[in-house]
Amino acid sequence: QVQLEESGGGLVPSGGSLRLSCAAGAYINNIYAMGWYRQAPGKQRELVADIGRGGITNYSDSVKGRFTISRNNAKSVAFLQMNNLKPEDTAVYYCRVRLVAGVDSWGQGTQVTVSS
């Protein structure tokens, strides 16, 4: 329902950093939460982090202390700052928006590759 575009992925060495962006096509005033998921080859998609109304955040244990999610509500943009990247972080990262009505929209993903 909501068009999303992720950007900021790339190839980085272990220990490096990337900043992912997720932009909605237009201002959305009924967003319940925005989040980031990732999917490695041959593996199920998993939650990385999300942020709800009021700025409440939730992180996967595997990224706590390394990743930070933030959101600019006025611009309907979410960010994922990824520091101290590890090879196991390699995956396609997807942005998800959940509307107040409970409908989810997904971006097409951005590739993050972390070399050893």
Side-chain angles (χ1 to χ4, degrees), residues 38-41 46 87-93 110-114:
R38 66 187 181 188
Q39 187 168 20
E46 64 175 349
E88 51 262 46
D89 295 318
T90 296
V92 177
Y93 283 69
T110 184
Q111 177 71 47
V112 172
T113 302
V114 185

Side-chain angles (χ1 to χ4, degrees), residues 38-56:
R38 66 187 181 188
Q39 187 168 20
K43 194 176 182 300
Q44 186 176 351
R45 189 173 302 183
E46 64 175 349
L47 172 70
V48 177
D50 61 17
I51 182 167
R53 293 200 169 191
I56 299 174

Side-chain angles (χ1 to χ4, degrees), residues 22-89:
C22 173
Y27 171 73
I28 307 296
N29 65 1
N30 61 343
I31 294 175
Y32 178 76
M34 300 186 73
W36 290 93
Y37 286 69
R38 66 187 181 188
Q39 187 168 20
K43 194 176 182 300
Q44 186 176 351
R45 189 173 302 183
E46 64 175 349
L47 172 70
V48 177
D50 61 17
I51 182 167
R53 293 200 169 191
I56 299 174
T57 57
N58 182 49
Y59 295 93
S60 167
D61 288 340
S62 64
V63 307
K64 283 183 178 178
R66 300 188 297 120
F67 292 8
T68 302
I69 188 170
S70 60
R71 187 175 73 189
N72 185 324
N73 292 332
K75 296 183 178 181
S76 299
V77 178
F79 305 97
L80 185 68
Q81 179 67 47
M82 305 185 294
N83 297 326
N84 192 24
L85 284 161
K86 304 176 180 179
E88 51 262 46
D89 295 318

